[in-house]
Structures are given as structure tokens and as C-alpha cells.
Amino acid sequence: MPTITGNATFETSTTVTITGPEGADIYYTTDDRTPTTSSQKYTTPFSLTESTTVNAIAVKGGKSSNVASKDFSKITCTDATLEEVVGWTADKTYVKLALNNAKVIYADGNTVHLRENGKCLMLYNVGILALTLNSTVSGSIKMNFKSYNGIPEMMKNEFTNAGDLSITAGSSLELDATVTTVEDLLAKKNLCDLVLLKNVTVTAEGTGKDAKYFIVSGAKKIQLWGNQNLSAVGVGKSLDIYALCNSIYSNNVQIKPVKVGDITLGINNTIVVESKKQGIYNINGVKMSEGQTLPAGLYIKNGKKVIVK
């Protein structure tokens, strides 16, 4: 059979190329009919501007191959603002998200949290390194929307890129958190936001690997997840806790602490540097030799993820 290539999904048009065995003639259709030697003969790549199925056969020495088929779908993106998207409850593919000075309030690898006019949204697996902590973003980006257990997320698709974004780097690495309460968090008022709980006490239920950590406020409590070293930094102390409100489990809101008191937990920013002599750690926590030229890879410097290219 011949091979049919081209973008299976496209917005305006896609170019279709058909290849077959050397010396074979190729015939194709775009109207769902089975191709024969009376069909259109393929000579050069052609353009599609509407959804269709391309069928093709290769003919050589009087013998025809089986039919090769490929579906092509023209998609239309749904235009939406960040404020509109966070109110959605149903999943939607191919969304063109418009941003107007949205602020990156947290960035950890490919996951980015944005805040715009008090509304917050998570970009999951976005893969744009320029979206670093405290940078501001305007323009548009194409992604899919998913309400993951009630958490509004935008997820990467084949059209996701930074081509239509204007990104201004932040001037500091200070955490810009929204001051809130356990009650408001449990009421789902701060979904996807970076929040600050002031003068709260972390309690533990269970011990060791089975320990679960909570902040208790009167008869209410909220679970902290994602950091099993809380026992060393926060249990029983009155502290300010910075956390991401990014999880709902069994309809209960959970928060992921990123800073407890003066201690930062995990990695909250990505920096791209050139390959120069620097004393930093590799991803396994081993300190690199002083003055060593680093090969391309992932490292840690001052608690931050560093990509050396």
C-alpha cells in the first residue's frame, strides 16, 4: 500500500503527500470512493482545506495494492478568556485561550499557574520554558480544557506553542500569594491559586511513610500533600504556609505546600543557562566539581531547576 502523510488535524489547510513503491503509479480519491486506475493520478503533493478522507492505491505491473486511508479533520478553535475558562465544567478540545497580562504565580517544570484579575488557571504539560515565576503573559495559546476532579486545567495539544504569546520576564522570585483561610479553601474559592495561610499549625495523623499532614481550623481541616518531609519543618509550629490549591480528592480540596516558614519545598522555577563553569548539583543531589563545564542536562542551583543547553 502507499503511505499517506500530512497533518491529521489542521486549522486552515494541510499538505498531503502520498508515496509508494518505486515505479508504481498512485491513484487517490477524496470523496470516500474506493480508488481505481480511473481515479485522480497522484503526481505532486496537494492541499486540503476541508475535512475529508484520502484513499489511495499503488499500481505496478497490472497489479493494484490494498487501499490506504487517512482521515484529515479541519478544526475550529473556541475563543475564550481565562475568566471564562475557569467557569467551565465540561471538557473541551481546541481552545484558543486569550491572556491579558496574566501573571505566572508558580512554575514547576511543565506545569504553570496563571492569575489574571483574581482568577487562576493551571497550564498542564505546556512545555514553554519562558513561562517562569512572576513573568506576565499576553496574547493567545491553543490548548485543550479539562476539568480534572473540578480543577480547571489547560492541557497541551498539537497546536500548543508560544508563537502568539508576548512574555515579559519577572523582576523577582518572590512568591505572590493570595492570603486566605482554611474555610475559603474548602469552599473551593482559591482553585489553582498560590495561597498563603498565616500563623497556622501543621498536625500529623499517623507516622513515617503513612503520615498525613493537615491544617486544622476549628472543626475543619485541610490536607497537605506532595511533601513527606513536613515532619522535619512544620509539625506543631505556628507558621506561615505558602501552598498551591491544585488538588481535589474525593471532593475534598487538598493543598500542596511550597514554602513553610522560611523553608522552600520542591522546585518552583526554571532557568535556562548556557553551558558555562558553575558549581551546582546534578538531579541526584551530587555536587558538581568547582569550575566544571557542565554537559547538557538537568541540574539544581539554589533550590531551582536549571536546564543547561
Side-chain angles (χ1 to χ4, degrees):
M1 292 189 297
T3 300
I4 306 170
T5 57
N7 293 328
T9 54
F10 60 94
E11 288 188 89
T12 55
S13 66
T14 186
T15 299
V16 179
T17 301
I18 310 176
T19 57
E22 184 177 354
D25 291 326
I26 296 172
Y27 299 89
Y28 71 94
T29 61
T30 57
D31 57 4
D32 289 331
R33 295 184 182 182
T34 300
T36 67
T37 54
S38 297
S39 302
Q40 178 72 39
K41 186 176 181 179
Y42 176 82
T43 55
T44 59
F46 57 93
S47 179
L48 293 177
T49 57
E50 298 295 337
S51 298
T52 192
T53 298
V54 175
N55 297 309
I57 57 171
V59 179
K60 184 177 181 180
K63 296 182 178 180
S64 297
S65 71
N66 290 332
V67 177
S69 295
K70 186 175 178 68
D71 294 327
F72 294 90
S73 299
K74 183 177 181 178
I75 63 98
T76 300
C77 286
T78 300
D79 293 323
T81 64
L82 186 149
E83 184 175 0
E84 289 171 334
V85 166
V86 298
W88 290 353
T89 56
D91 298 350
K92 187 181 291 290
T93 56
Y94 305 121
V95 177
K96 186 177 181 181
L97 174 67
L99 301 171
N100 184 15
N101 287 322
K103 185 174 184 178
V104 177
I105 53 174
Y106 194 82
D108 189 357
N110 284 337
T111 301
V112 174
H113 290 253
L114 296 176
R115 184 192 297 138
E116 181 181 312
N117 295 327
K119 303 293 185 178
C120 298
L121 180 67
M122 182 193 302
L123 306 186
Y124 179 75
N125 194 26
V126 66
I128 298 176
L129 294 178
L131 294 175
T132 55
L133 185 66
N134 291 331
S135 60
T136 54
V137 192
S138 294
S140 63
I141 186 170
K142 298 163 187 171
M143 303 184 77
N144 297 334
F145 173 78
K146 184 175 181 63
S147 179
Y148 185 73
N149 292 334
I151 297 290
E153 296 183 358
M154 297 296 291
M155 304 182 71
K156 184 177 180 179
N157 62 31
E158 62 268 39
F159 297 108
T160 303
N161 61 67
D164 295 322
L165 292 179
S166 174
I167 304 171
T168 303
S171 58
S172 76
L173 296 180
E174 294 296 321
L175 297 177
D176 180 15
T178 300
V179 178
T180 190
T181 64
V182 170
E183 288 74 15
D184 280 351
L185 287 169
L186 293 175
K188 302 179 182 178
K189 294 183 179 181
N190 302 100
L191 296 182
C192 292
D193 204 355
L194 176 69
V195 299
L196 171 58
L197 293 159
K198 289 190 171 184
N199 297 317
V200 293
T201 302
V202 177
T203 62
E205 295 181 8
T207 59
K209 294 182 179 180
D210 296 326
K212 295 181 179 179
Y213 301 94
F214 298 86
I215 296 172
V216 179
S217 177
K220 299 182 180 295
K221 65 179 181 180
I222 190 167
Q223 184 172 348
L224 291 78
W225 73 278
N227 289 289
Q228 296 305 315
N229 56 349
L230 281 172
S231 59
V233 298
V235 173
K237 301 176 183 178
S238 181
L239 297 166
D240 292 345
I241 295 182
Y242 293 81
L244 290 170
C245 184
N246 64 351
S247 176
I248 297 178
Y249 181 73
S250 296
N251 204 37
N252 294 316
V253 175
Q254 299 179 343
I255 58 175
K256 181 179 181 180
V258 298
K259 186 176 180 181
V260 178
D262 295 328
I263 299 176
T264 299
L265 306 172
I267 300 166
N268 65 1
N269 205 20
T270 300
I271 304 169
V272 178
V273 299
E274 298 297 332
S275 179
K276 297 184 178 177
K277 296 181 179 181
Q278 303 180 50
I280 60 179
Y281 295 82
N282 67 19
I283 197 63
N284 296 315
V286 178
K287 187 175 182 179
M288 309 305 291
S289 300
E290 194 70 25
Q292 175 182 356
T293 298
L294 301 173
L298 186 62
Y299 300 85
I300 305 298
K301 181 180 181 180
N302 297 327
K304 303 291 187 292
K305 183 187 301 181
V306 178
I307 299 174
V308 173
K309 61 180 181 180

